[in-house]
């Protein structure tokens, strides 16, 4: 709002010094001396507000006017500015800054939405914060897996040098608990790929997870006769050898580090080890078939009128086919990765 008459003269007055502005008992008091159209004069007015205001007015003195800001104690809509119903003659609205009730509500709603959006962004976190959290999470996951498989690899290597071939036959009882932990935790990789945390394709990751866990939990874990066989050593040793190069590579990638030796090993060591691992797993399945036939474990008889006994070894034979299919899927995926990483660059023809 603006003030005309005396206040208009005040805006045009020059040479005002130290105006006396205060609020007492909800009344604004103004008094200042300045040079206007009628010469030097004292300009003074009193304005009693309709509702309570804060008693600390803020003013800004310029060459042509005095701007006074008074804040309401409570943010609400007023029917008018002053307590008296009749508007003072010297008081007029400033239509450049005028807001009716609907405008005020829209402005208030806009401010509330802005605050809500700000709080939402703070609760969700900035993109940089989310990226940092994701990298930290992936770094810790790969670190834990690296430490777990490193423990398995070192333990089996030391036992082999000390005990020789004798270490083959108690491998399961020595490192099975750690292998259980690492392979159960490996399910996180497939989940990360499925929900988009990592860019890895879901199918190769899922093939490897299900294949390894089938060997670990079904072939070795449920049959004590299989736990003392030498094939367990070769399966576990090949798995851990692959992972002690793969997980530190991913771990360093989370902090944007590229160690060329490790990168080469990560994209090369699988070439001999994956077929060897697949062969060792196939041997373990083949050796388990007579054991499952003798014990009848997981076998069942179809209900009447069929009454045919279905041996679990039938599913193991199907699994052997799927095992080599999984090898093809993973081998093809890893080959594409290696070619993309180390593929020869096209020579420019000048």
């Amino acid at each position: 709002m603006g003030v005309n008459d005396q206040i208009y003269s005040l805006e045009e007055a020059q040479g005002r010094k130290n105006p006396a502005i205060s609020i007492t008992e909800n009344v604004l008091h103004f008094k200042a001396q300045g040079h206007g159209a009628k010469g030097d004069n004292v300009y003074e007015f009193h304005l009693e507000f309709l509702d309570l205001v804060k008693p600390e007015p803020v003013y800004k003195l310029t060459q042509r006017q005095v701007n006074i800001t008074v804040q309401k104690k409570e943010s609400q809509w007023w029917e008018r500015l002053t307590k008296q119903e009749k508007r003072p003659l010297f008081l007029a609205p400033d239509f450049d800054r005028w807001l009716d009730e609907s405008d005020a509500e829209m402005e208030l709603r806009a401010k509330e939405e802005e605050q809500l959006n700000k709080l939402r962004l703070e609760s969700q976190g900035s993109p940089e914060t989310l990226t940092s959290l994701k990298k930290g999470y992936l770094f810790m996951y790969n670190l834990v897996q690296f430490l777990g498989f490193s423990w398995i690899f070192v333990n089996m290597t030391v036992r082999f040098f000390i005990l020789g071939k004798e270490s083959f036959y108690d491998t399961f009882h020595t490192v099975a608990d750690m292998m259980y932990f690492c392979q159960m935790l490996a399910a996180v990789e497939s989940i990360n790929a499925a929900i988009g945390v990592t860019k890895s394709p879901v199918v190769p990751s899922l093939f490897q997870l299900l294949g390894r866990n089938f060997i670990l939990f079904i072939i070795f874990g449920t049959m004590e006769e299989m736990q003392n066989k030498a094939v367990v050593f070769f399966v576990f040793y090949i798995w851990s050898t692959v992972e002690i190069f793969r997980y530190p590579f991913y771990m360093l990638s989370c902090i944007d580090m590229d160690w060329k030796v490790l990168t080469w090993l990560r994209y090369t060591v699988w070439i001999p080890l994956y077929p060897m691992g697949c062969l060792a797993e196939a041997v373990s399945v083949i050796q388990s078939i007579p054991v499952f036939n003798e014990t009848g474990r997981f076998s069942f008889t179809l209900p009447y009128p069929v009454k045919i006994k279905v041996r679990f070894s039938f599913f193991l034979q199907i699994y052997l086919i799927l095992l080599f299919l999984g090898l093809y899927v993973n081998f093809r995926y890893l080959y594409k990765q290696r070619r993309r990483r180390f593929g020869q660059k096209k020579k420019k023809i000048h």
Side-chain angles (χ1 to χ4, degrees):
M1 63 201 166
V3 181
N4 59 13
D5 295 333
Q6 289 182 336
I7 302 306
Y8 181 80
S9 299
L10 174 68
E11 291 181 351
E12 297 297 330
Q14 299 178 358
R16 296 173 303 278
K17 294 181 180 179
N18 300 324
I21 303 172
S22 63
I23 296 178
T24 55
E25 298 180 356
N26 219 47
V27 177
L28 174 65
H29 305 279
F30 178 87
K31 186 176 182 180
Q33 184 175 359
H35 183 78
K38 298 180 180 180
D40 290 331
N41 284 288
V42 175
Y43 298 90
E44 181 178 6
F45 71 87
H46 306 279
L47 199 63
E48 185 174 6
F49 296 104
L50 175 66
D51 210 336
L52 296 177
V53 297
K54 294 183 180 180
E56 301 88 11
V58 179
Y59 70 91
K60 183 179 179 182
L61 186 64
T62 68
Q63 290 295 324
R64 296 182 57 82
Q65 62 189 28
V66 179
N67 295 323
I68 306 173
T69 302
V70 179
Q71 291 187 347
K72 300 175 183 177
K73 271 198 172 181
E74 296 181 2
S75 180
Q76 59 183 354
W77 184 256
W78 287 5
E79 295 180 1
R80 57 183 183 277
L81 179 64
T82 60
K83 190 172 185 179
Q84 66 183 61
E85 294 185 6
K86 187 176 180 181
R87 178 174 59 83
L89 296 175
F90 63 85
L91 192 63
D94 181 356
F95 287 103
D96 291 336
R97 303 176 65 186
W98 176 267
L99 288 177
D100 59 23
E101 190 167 2
S102 60
D103 292 334
E105 289 178 354
M106 289 178 63
E107 186 179 80
L108 182 61
R109 192 178 299 112
K111 289 182 178 179
E112 289 177 350
E113 289 180 358
E114 184 180 352
Q115 290 178 350
L116 287 173
N117 289 333
K118 185 178 180 181
L119 290 173
R120 192 179 297 113
L121 287 173
E122 289 177 353
S123 63
Q124 293 177 349
S126 63
E128 293 80 7
T129 303
L130 292 176
T131 302
S132 299
L133 288 174
K134 185 176 78 170
K135 286 185 175 181
Y137 154 70
L138 292 175
F139 180 88
M140 290 305 300
Y141 166 77
N142 289 299
L143 175 61
V144 171
Q145 288 287 63
F146 169 64
L147 293 176
F149 280 106
S150 295
W151 184 89
I152 295 171
F153 178 82
V154 172
N155 186 294
M156 294 177 66
T157 302
V158 171
R159 286 176 55 80
F160 174 74
F161 279 110
I162 295 175
L163 302 175
K165 294 181 180 180
E166 294 297 324
S167 65
F168 291 173
Y169 306 103
D170 62 350
T171 298
F172 185 87
H173 302 287
T174 306
V175 299
D177 290 338
M178 182 61 72
M179 186 62 78
Y180 279 138
F181 171 78
C182 291
Q183 282 305 128
M184 287 190 291
L185 188 61
V188 174
E189 290 183 49
S190 298
I191 297 172
N192 288 339
I195 64 178
V197 176
T198 60
K199 296 180 180 180
S200 303
V202 179
V203 174
S205 174
L206 198 59
F207 260 82
Q208 178 169 297
L209 174 69
L210 296 178
R212 285 189 178 183
N213 284 347
F214 181 82
I215 297 296
L216 177 62
F217 289 95
I218 303 299
I219 303 299
F220 295 153
T222 62
M223 303 299 293
E224 291 185 8
E225 295 86 346
M226 292 297 301
Q227 294 173 6
N228 297 321
K229 293 185 178 295
V231 69
V232 178
F233 176 89
F234 294 100
V235 170
F236 283 8
Y237 201 74
I238 292 171
W239 286 359
S240 59
T241 305
V242 171
E243 305 303 10
I244 61 173
F245 297 114
R246 189 168 71 95
Y247 283 116
F249 170 78
Y250 289 144
M251 188 171 61
L252 294 182
S253 297
C254 293
I255 55 176
D256 300 321
M257 286 184 62
D258 184 15
W259 186 18
K260 292 183 178 180
V261 175
L262 182 61
T263 302
W264 185 86
L265 288 171
R266 186 268 177 271
Y267 286 104
T268 306
V269 74
W270 61 269
I271 297 175
L273 291 181
Y274 265 57
M276 289 170 59
C278 183
L279 182 61
E281 292 174 26
V283 169
S284 67
V285 173
I286 293 171
Q287 289 183 352
S288 71
I289 289 176
V291 179
F292 279 105
N293 285 337
E294 289 177 10
T295 60
R297 181 165 294 182
F298 302 133
S299 299
F300 59 92
T301 302
L302 293 175
Y304 181 85
V306 182
K307 288 189 175 181
I308 297 176
K309 186 174 183 180
V310 181
R311 295 182 178 275
F312 185 64
S313 58
F314 171 74
F315 297 100
L316 293 179
Q317 293 169 22
I318 295 176
Y319 176 78
L320 284 173
I321 299 173
L322 296 177
L323 180 64
F324 288 97
L325 177 62
L327 174 65
Y328 169 76
V329 171
N330 277 328
F331 212 90
R332 186 168 178 267
Y333 167 67
L334 290 171
Y335 174 74
K336 285 183 176 180
Q337 274 195 325
R338 191 178 194 281
R339 189 175 181 183
R340 192 181 303 118
R341 189 85 181 192
F342 300 117
Q344 292 182 351
K345 297 180 180 179
K346 294 182 179 180
K347 296 182 179 179
K348 294 182 180 180
I349 301 176
H350 297 284

